[in-house]
Amino acid sequence: MPDFLTFINEILWGSVLIYLLLFAGIWFTWRSGMVQFRYIRYFTRALKKSFIPQPDGLTAFQALCTSLAARVGSGNIAGVALAISMGGPGAVFWMWVTALIGMATSFAECSLAQLYKTRNRHGQFHGGPAWYMEHGLGMRWMGVLFSVFLLLSFGLVFNAVQASSVAFALAHAWDIPKWLTVSVLAALTLLVCARGLRGIARLTQWLLPLMALLWVVTGLVIIILYIDRMPHVIALIFTGAFGWQEAASGVVGYTFSQALTSGFQRGMFSNEAGMGSSPNAAATASSWPPHPAAQGIVQMIGVFVDTVIICSATAVIILVAGLPEKPLTPDEGILLTQHALVNLTGHWASGYLGVMVFVFAFVSIIANYTYAENNLVFLRLDTRRNIWLLRTGVLVMVMLGAVVSLTLVWQLADISIALMAITNLTAILLLSPVVKTIASDYLRQRKLGIKPHFDPARFPELKPHIAPGVWEGLPRE
């Protein structure tokens, strides 16, 4: 079975997804007018009123923190270590590339999620890729397929990945039994998930920024302490990106293909641009500021923060400490980062990293759960019984993180990412004329000095597909 899964992974990632991701990122960069470079100055304006509770949805900041919570998990620590061990330092460069071009893809998918969102019977917003597949493309079957892939990955597989990484980290730091770690993690997960989407959002908007800032500061401290090694680290990243480095004594030689594949694979696992996950959070945000492109801008910043800032902090720690002598198994990914931090700062760092991984994994699991529950709504299966079945499934997968092979779980995670991404990228590429319309309308109003306000009446070709009462009658800023 592992050999078969490896074969499927090589086909999906080596022959399909890398080219599809590159094409989508470049395409939306062009179609949106270089959105990731031209619109970034509007980021703070798009977060306007983000700390004032909204009656019909999350604030833009809460939606950003929820999506970041799903992104910032063990992939930012163990995943970066795996990327470097399999693709060399050059994989870090290609992770940055996935972020920069992925920002445009994220803008596209999250703007579409805002545009095609709907209200539930309680007046709260729901939406995401499944919704724009149904309403934007008229293909409910595609939305159902995507929802099934998401439920399998975010509802089940990814949670075992997160729990397993935590169990390994704390067992290595303090010899805490793995079953005890995952039991505590499962109990906390149940406690928070029972509070619903708003309860999860209120927690992530405070906990996630604090922990992310703490990890970035850790990376900055390492840079300051070992500033003399930084020129060598930077040289390794850029020469390794194109396979120019020579194999040093005790270090395997990495090829351009290895660096590219590993960087894209782990970069996407981390920032999720194009995967179709973050649009589920973007759609739950209230229609304020009153333009779908505003939430697209907010969410694309999340891609930059996750990969270029947080993952780079991990990469610096590993590369300053020295390259691994051989490719790692997934079980060893978190341990490499622990060893690197211990070698650079002292034995206390092992426990520190264990705590960081625990919190990152915890917020990631609860955010994953919100995505899964959201897609139950699309499938019209959001009964109380089914919601508790989903919660039970999440808890079971968290508990399995103590016993299941992490290698197998990572392979399943990679396959589920690929299937989700292929479905989502196909949909947003078909909807690229709509993305261009949204982006152009937003920029046109900004150039005129008008605070952007989306009016469906101006777009008769879109209006029949947009849920009534979502964008009409919104007050201007």
Side-chain angles (χ1 to χ4, degrees):
M1 178 64 82
D3 290 339
F4 174 73
L5 294 178
T6 300
F7 174 71
I8 297 297
N9 258 323
E10 288 175 354
I11 292 177
L12 291 175
W13 283 98
S15 304
V16 179
L17 202 50
I18 284 181
Y19 300 107
L20 190 57
L21 280 168
L22 271 171
F23 175 75
I26 294 169
W27 177 257
F28 285 114
T29 297
W30 173 62
R31 292 287 283 179
S32 62
M34 306 287 285
V35 62
Q36 64 268 58
F37 305 110
R38 296 179 64 189
Y39 289 27
I40 195 168
R41 63 186 185 275
Y42 301 130
F43 173 60
T44 54
R45 302 180 196 180
L47 280 176
K48 190 174 182 180
K49 294 190 177 181
S50 271
F51 296 97
I52 301 175
Q54 301 294 316
D56 51 4
L58 306 182
T59 67
F61 183 70
Q62 285 177 326
L64 173 62
C65 287
T66 301
S67 64
L68 265 175
R71 292 182 176 116
V72 179
S74 62
N76 292 72
I77 298 176
V80 174
L82 289 174
I84 292 173
S85 76
M86 292 186 291
V92 177
F93 174 85
W94 293 112
M95 288 177 70
W96 293 340
V97 172
T98 65
L100 291 177
I101 66 171
M103 288 171 73
T105 309
S106 181
F107 170 84
E109 61 184 355
C110 293
S111 297
L112 289 170
Q114 268 280 297
L115 180 68
Y116 292 110
K117 66 186 179 183
T118 61
R119 294 181 189 271
N120 64 12
R121 58 184 178 274
H122 304 296
Q124 302 299 304
F125 288 125
H126 284 280
W131 277 260
Y132 54 70
M133 290 169 189
E134 178 180 18
H135 299 294
L137 293 174
M139 300 180 182
R140 180 170 173 82
W141 65 268
M142 181 184 280
V144 170
L145 186 64
F146 176 87
S147 293
V148 171
F149 288 148
L150 186 141
L151 283 165
L152 289 173
S153 54
F154 281 84
L156 301 174
V157 178
F158 283 8
N159 298 320
V161 170
Q162 304 293 349
S164 187
S165 296
V166 174
F168 266 93
L170 293 185
H172 182 262
W174 293 311
D175 291 324
I176 297 176
K178 293 179 182 179
W179 67 265
L180 180 58
T181 298
V182 296
S183 296
V184 172
L185 188 60
L188 290 174
T189 299
L190 179 60
L191 183 65
V192 176
C193 289
R195 296 172 61 86
L197 175 60
R198 284 184 175 272
I200 292 172
R202 281 193 292 268
L203 176 64
T204 57
Q205 75 172 338
W206 298 110
L207 186 57
L208 189 279
L210 176 63
M211 299 306 295
L213 179 62
L214 191 57
W215 186 243
V216 171
V217 168
T218 302
L220 290 174
V221 169
I222 296 299
I223 290 174
I224 294 170
L225 291 176
Y226 296 91
I227 191 67
D228 58 310
R229 301 186 190 180
M230 290 310 299
H232 178 64
V233 167
I234 293 170
L236 280 176
I237 291 173
F238 283 94
T239 58
F242 303 97
W244 293 335
Q245 84 289 353
E246 296 180 3
S249 177
V251 178
V252 297
Y254 301 100
T255 65
F256 167 74
S257 176
Q258 285 175 304
L260 179 67
T261 302
S262 297
F264 266 69
Q265 199 168 5
R266 294 303 157 206
M268 187 178 179
F269 185 89
S270 175
N271 64 50
E272 301 179 8
M275 192 191 303
S277 53
S278 55
N280 290 275
T284 61
S286 67
S287 303
W288 195 269
H291 200 289
Q295 185 58 215
I297 292 170
V298 169
Q299 291 294 332
M300 77 176 184
I301 298 301
V303 174
F304 183 88
V305 169
D306 175 86
T307 306
V308 178
I309 297 179
I310 299 176
C311 285
S312 294
T314 305
V316 164
I317 292 169
I318 294 169
L319 294 176
V320 167
L323 286 171
E325 294 187 356
K326 60 181 179 63
L328 306 177
T329 66
D331 297 336
E332 299 170 319
I334 194 68
L335 300 183
L336 173 64
T337 310
Q338 273 184 310
H339 286 309
L341 200 56
V342 167
N343 290 337
L344 296 173
T345 62
H347 289 291
W348 65 272
S350 183
Y352 168 75
L353 183 62
V355 172
M356 293 294 295
V357 173
F358 185 93
V359 177
F360 278 157
F362 170 60
V363 295
S364 184
I365 289 170
I366 61 176
N368 290 348
Y369 166 77
T370 67
Y371 293 170
E373 184 178 314
N374 185 56
N375 281 266
L376 279 184
V377 175
F378 178 80
L379 295 172
R380 299 165 189 162
L381 297 174
D382 56 323
T383 63
R384 183 175 178 82
R385 173 179 172 273
N386 288 335
I387 287 175
W388 276 101
L389 282 175
L390 173 62
R391 291 171 181 170
T392 302
V394 170
L395 298 182
V396 168
M397 293 305 293
V398 169
M399 296 297 293
L400 284 176
V403 295
V404 72
S405 166
L406 193 53
T407 300
L408 176 63
V409 174
W410 273 100
Q411 288 178 326
L412 291 172
D414 286 338
I415 291 173
S416 60
I417 287 175
L419 294 174
M420 276 183 58
I422 290 170
T423 308
N424 181 59
L425 288 168
T426 301
I428 62 176
L429 285 169
L430 291 173
L431 288 168
S432 62
V434 179
V435 176
K436 180 175 174 57
T437 297
I438 296 171
S440 299
D441 182 61
Y442 185 89
L443 188 58
R444 178 186 63 82
Q445 294 185 61
R446 282 294 183 195
K447 285 182 175 179
L448 292 174
I450 303 171
K451 293 179 179 178
H453 184 279
F454 184 75
D455 183 1
R458 294 201 305 269
F459 306 101
E461 73 279 12
L462 298 181
K463 189 174 180 181
H465 308 288
I466 299 173
V470 173
W471 294 103
E472 293 90 350
L474 292 174
R476 292 188 176 272
E477 292 187 64

